[in-house]
Amino acid sequence: MTKPAEKVLGTYSTEDVSGTLERLAESFRVVMRELDFTVVDETEPYSLSEHQMMKSWRIRVVQCPGRSTPPLHMSVVPDDQDSLRYHLRFFRRSFVDPSDSKPLVTIEQEIYKTLALHKIVYGVIGQGGIRRMCLEILNEMQNPPKNPQQPYIDFPIAYGQKLIHGQDSRIQYNFDRYNPVGKLRSDGSLDYSRKDFTQYVHANKVIMIHYLPVQGQPGISPTGKVRPQHIGQDIERFPFRTTSRNIKLIHRAGRVEVLTRKEGYFVIDHNSWADIVDNLEIEGEVNIGVTGDIYFDERRKDVRIVYDGVEEDAVGSGRSVEGENIYIKGNIASHAKIKGKQVEIVGSIHSTAVIEGEEYVRLAMGGGHVKAPTVEAKSFQSGNIVADKIHIWGNMINTKVFCQEIEHTGTMRNTTITAAGPEIILGHLAGGDNMICVDYHGVPSVEQKIEKLEQEQAKLELSMAKLSKEVRTLSADIKRDKPQLETTVARVNQLRKEGRTVPESQLKFINSFRHRKKNLEQAALQVEEDKKRSVQLKREREKLLEVTRNAVVRITQGVEHGNRVRFLGQSTSHELAAAKNAVMIEYSQSGTVKVHHG
């Protein structure tokens, strides 16, 4: 009986080979097993979205009536230890078709088909490596081992790209940075009315290194999943200028080193010019720009700066203040950095300043980049806030907010609120350019918890899949060898009864069987424990998501037309109609935004 001829169905470009074959089978009314294809061409990987790369394959599809099981069996599996490395799994049950005059070409085509079916789009080894792999596979089929340890062979086939986060610019100080610019009081705080700043340096020492920002690289798996990298930002600028012969700036790859040329006092004046002088004199009001940065390396102390001058800043441009409890009465200049356990500032804050508190930050006229578990402000303008809880009594203008909960009682204009919930209370929404996003993305305290749960869940699923396979393999081996075990045990008992020597091979077989049975029990127990933990992780994640899903937005003082709101799960935002009185907004289970007036 002659073999039916192949029928060419056409050549197609696709990103999903399996889906294309299914659609062709339905269109031509043939069964899937009769369809076969070869990869004619493929594109380079390209970006499908921020989190996904893709590749397009050009395939030639044929119908093979009466097609039997193909002789080659392959798959693609991730490495157990390294998620960025994938293997081509070649199964030993494969065989060489005797009628195939070009088996190496057939094996190579099958490898490319397997990669396309599994959507391996990134980091595939070169053609030379694949052809060497074909030779090994052909040799394996022509000269199979007598007692192979496994029914398959794994060949490394694709390598992903490791995620490398970029580094923000930073400054490394190589001297004692505990520089009080005043006298220490008995209660541990500093009296800035009695200045006594001394920063003594030695000659031919690198006293500071300014590290430039580093780009980094995204993480990319062979299946095209992309983990965006942190792009290094110019956060800490170089803190001074100099033309002095006493200081040398050494420019190296990625950094600038500051080398002293003489011994003396290192000073920076109010215009940010640096020098090393023999005698130190400080004139004028308290100005961190003149006296230098304030740091506490070991035992942090309270920092209190009081300066109400309008022409000078309490904390000058690019200066840093660190301490335990920080109180500043005065203005904060551009690129200044304030960091403490509890921070309170009475004064204006430049939009580029950074304010961080381990417990809370309290501001009068808020601005800049503020981060703390709790943030309170009389007003806030031109900046962003990252916190768990926020309370703002006055106006909030040109601001981006990322929080769990917020209570605002003033006017809000040109502001974006991203809140995870459960409650978002806002005052008056003026203008038509405010945006309210009820979403946990961008809220670190919630997003990091969910991401951690998802990562643990993914590891558990991979572990359970591996253990389940091990359980199936051990169960099959034990079931197969049980009759032989019973015979061997009976034979051993008979030999011992007769006082004869028991062959070593029989004892090894019995011990091996018991060992496999013990491994089976342990693996099965671990699978059950992993299942319970998986259910627990899903419940914890769902509990966090439920808070956001049930979050309610309350606008207490009315809203003007054009402002928008978007809830978790919505692809587009909802435009709010004008309302003079209080409004409550919620997202129903049916997927619609409900607005309640009054």
Side-chain angles (χ1 to χ4, degrees):
M1 183 176 179
T2 59
K3 184 178 180 181
E6 294 182 349
K7 178 182 178 183
V8 179
L9 301 185
T11 303
Y12 306 89
S13 293
T14 178
E15 294 177 347
D16 182 5
V17 175
S18 297
T20 300
L21 294 177
E22 290 177 1
R23 289 191 293 272
L24 289 174
E26 184 178 351
S27 299
F28 287 94
R29 296 184 178 180
V30 297
V31 293
M32 278 287 292
R33 69 172 178 271
E34 291 185 354
L35 293 184
D36 195 10
F37 74 97
T38 54
V39 177
V40 178
D41 194 10
E42 60 184 50
T43 66
E44 292 295 322
Y46 53 85
S47 179
L48 191 64
S49 67
E50 182 185 1
H51 298 282
Q52 183 66 50
M53 294 190 73
M54 187 50 71
K55 179 185 283 189
S56 178
W57 291 271
R58 195 160 179 262
I59 60 173
R60 180 177 179 270
V61 183
V62 298
Q63 180 187 0
C64 307
R67 179 172 178 247
S68 59
T69 303
L72 298 175
H73 301 274
M74 300 179 185
S75 181
V76 177
V77 296
D79 188 270
D80 293 338
Q81 305 298 326
D82 185 357
S83 61
L84 290 178
R85 181 168 60 186
Y86 275 58
H87 297 280
L88 178 78
R89 178 160 290 179
F90 168 74
F91 292 91
R92 297 183 189 273
R93 67 175 181 271
S94 304
F95 60 90
V96 180
D97 189 345
S99 64
D100 191 348
S101 61
K102 297 181 178 180
L104 286 175
V105 175
T106 302
I107 295 170
E108 185 175 354
Q109 290 177 347
E110 191 66 28
I111 290 174
Y112 284 114
K113 285 167 57 179
T114 304
L115 293 172
L117 286 169
H118 288 80
K119 296 184 179 180
I120 305 301
V121 303
Y122 185 86
V124 178
I125 64 175
Q127 190 177 43
I130 288 180
R131 288 184 173 175
R132 286 191 295 272
M133 189 186 303
C134 294
L135 286 170
E136 291 186 42
I137 290 174
L138 180 61
N139 181 66
E140 180 69 25
M141 290 189 293
Q142 291 176 339
N143 303 287
K146 294 183 179 180
N147 297 305
Q149 294 181 350
Q150 292 180 319
Y152 57 82
I153 308 175
D154 284 345
F155 298 93
I157 191 69
Y159 299 86
Q161 178 171 281
K162 184 179 180 181
L163 173 67
I164 299 178
H165 280 302
Q167 298 293 324
D168 294 336
S169 63
R170 62 185 179 89
I171 298 176
Q172 173 183 317
Y173 296 92
N174 298 332
F175 51 77
D176 182 8
R177 297 182 297 168
Y178 173 46
N179 298 319
V181 293
K183 293 296 183 181
L184 192 65
R185 296 192 183 98
S186 59
D187 62 359
S189 61
L190 294 171
D191 181 1
Y192 282 88
S193 64
R194 303 174 64 188
K195 299 183 288 291
D196 185 22
F197 171 76
T198 56
Q199 178 53 64
Y200 201 81
V201 295
H202 296 278
N204 299 315
K205 300 292 183 182
V206 176
I207 62 171
M208 192 193 83
I209 302 175
H210 179 236
Y211 291 94
L212 302 176
V214 179
Q215 175 75 19
Q217 70 177 20
I220 307 174
S221 73
T223 56
K225 292 183 179 180
V226 179
R227 293 179 61 196
Q229 82 277 27
H230 169 72
I231 299 175
Q233 303 294 319
D234 194 9
I235 301 298
E236 291 193 70
R237 304 286 181 88
F238 197 80
F240 61 81
R241 298 174 290 175
T242 185
T243 56
S244 172
R245 294 182 179 180
N246 301 325
I247 299 172
K248 182 179 180 180
L249 303 184
I250 304 173
H251 295 268
R252 302 187 187 277
R255 67 185 190 272
V256 178
E257 298 179 356
V258 179
L259 178 70
T260 60
R261 287 295 187 86
K262 67 170 288 184
E263 186 172 345
Y265 294 101
F266 176 70
V267 296
I268 304 174
D269 68 15
H270 64 283
N271 291 319
S272 297
W273 288 98
D275 199 357
I276 297 175
V277 298
D278 295 326
N279 300 307
L280 180 65
E281 294 182 4
I282 298 175
E283 297 179 357
E285 303 294 340
V286 176
N287 188 324
I288 304 301
V290 173
T291 57
D293 296 338
I294 298 178
Y295 293 95
F296 297 93
D297 286 336
E298 297 177 358
R299 294 183 301 169
R300 295 185 300 180
K301 297 183 180 295
D302 293 348
V303 178
R304 183 176 178 85
I305 303 174
V306 179
Y307 179 49
D308 295 329
V310 294
E311 295 182 357
E312 298 289 339
D313 295 311
V315 179
S317 177
R319 300 273 62 85
S320 297
V321 175
E322 293 186 9
E324 181 80 8
N325 302 310
I326 298 176
Y327 174 84
I328 300 175
K329 188 175 182 182
N331 300 332
I332 310 299
S334 62
H335 300 290
K337 185 174 181 179
I338 314 298
K339 184 177 181 180
K341 186 176 181 180
Q342 300 174 348
V343 179
E344 185 172 354
I345 301 173
V346 181
S348 65
I349 302 172
H350 194 275
S351 60
T352 60
V354 177
I355 315 295
E356 295 182 3
E358 295 174 13
E359 291 185 358
Y360 67 78
V361 170
R362 290 176 182 158
L363 309 172
M365 295 176 285
H369 307 281
V370 180
K371 184 177 181 180
T374 301
V375 174
E376 299 176 358
K378 291 183 179 179
S379 64
F380 202 94
Q381 181 173 346
S382 299
N384 59 65
I385 307 174
V386 178
D388 292 337
K389 293 184 178 181
I390 299 174
H391 192 171
I392 298 177
W393 293 276
N395 297 336
M396 186 164 48
I397 301 171
N398 193 26
T399 300
K400 289 186 178 180
V401 175
F402 301 90
C403 65
Q404 292 186 43
E405 299 180 82
I406 181 171
E407 184 176 355
H408 168 243
T409 56
T411 297
M412 174 174 149
R413 186 185 294 273
N414 191 27
T415 292
T416 300
I417 306 287
T418 301
E423 198 167 43
I424 301 101
I425 302 174
L426 304 173
H428 176 64
L429 271 62
D433 47 10
N434 294 297
M435 179 70 181
I436 306 167
C437 300
V438 183
D439 199 334
Y440 69 87
H441 292 96
V443 182
S445 59
V446 180
E447 189 175 28
Q448 290 170 5
K449 289 180 183 177
I450 292 178
E451 184 178 349
K452 186 177 180 181
L453 291 172
E454 290 174 345
Q455 289 175 351
E456 188 177 350
Q457 181 72 36
K459 289 180 180 179
L460 267 180
E461 290 176 356
L462 187 62
S463 173
M464 285 191 292
K466 183 179 178 181
L467 284 172
S468 297
K469 183 178 179 181
E470 183 180 345
V471 167
R472 291 193 298 271
T473 302
L474 288 172
S475 297
D477 290 348
I478 289 173
K479 184 178 180 181
R480 180 196 63 204
D481 294 342
K482 190 174 181 179
Q484 183 181 352
L485 174 73
E486 293 173 350
T487 303
T488 303
V489 170
R491 177 61 179 166
V492 168
N493 291 337
Q494 180 65 29
L495 291 173
R496 286 175 174 170
K497 185 177 180 180
E498 296 173 356
R500 297 165 61 187
T501 302
V502 178
E504 187 68 24
S505 59
Q506 294 183 356
L507 294 175
K508 285 184 177 180
F509 175 77
I510 294 172
N511 291 332
S512 172
F513 187 91
R514 290 172 178 171
H515 181 68
R516 283 179 289 167
K517 186 177 180 181
K518 182 179 179 180
N519 289 343
L520 173 62
E521 293 171 350
Q522 291 176 345
L525 182 61
Q526 186 62 48
V527 168
E528 292 303 315
E529 291 178 356
D530 287 350
K531 286 180 179 179
K532 292 178 182 178
R533 178 57 181 162
S534 178
V535 171
Q536 182 184 359
L537 290 173
K538 289 178 181 178
R539 287 175 180 171
E540 291 178 10
R541 180 180 180 275
E542 189 63 25
K543 187 177 180 180
L544 290 172
L545 291 176
E546 199 66 24
V547 173
T548 302
R549 293 194 187 107
N550 296 330
V552 174
V553 179
R554 302 181 190 276
I555 303 173
T556 60
Q557 300 172 28
V559 55
E560 296 181 12
H561 177 75
N563 294 285
R564 309 187 73 84
V565 63
R566 180 181 63 80
F567 285 84
L568 179 66
Q570 283 189 297
S571 58
T572 58
S573 58
H574 175 82
E575 185 173 303
L576 298 174
K580 294 183 179 181
N581 299 320
V583 170
M584 186 182 78
I585 311 167
E586 60 182 351
Y587 191 56
S588 67
Q589 294 182 351
S590 60
T592 58
V593 176
K594 291 186 177 181
V595 181
H596 306 278
H597 297 270

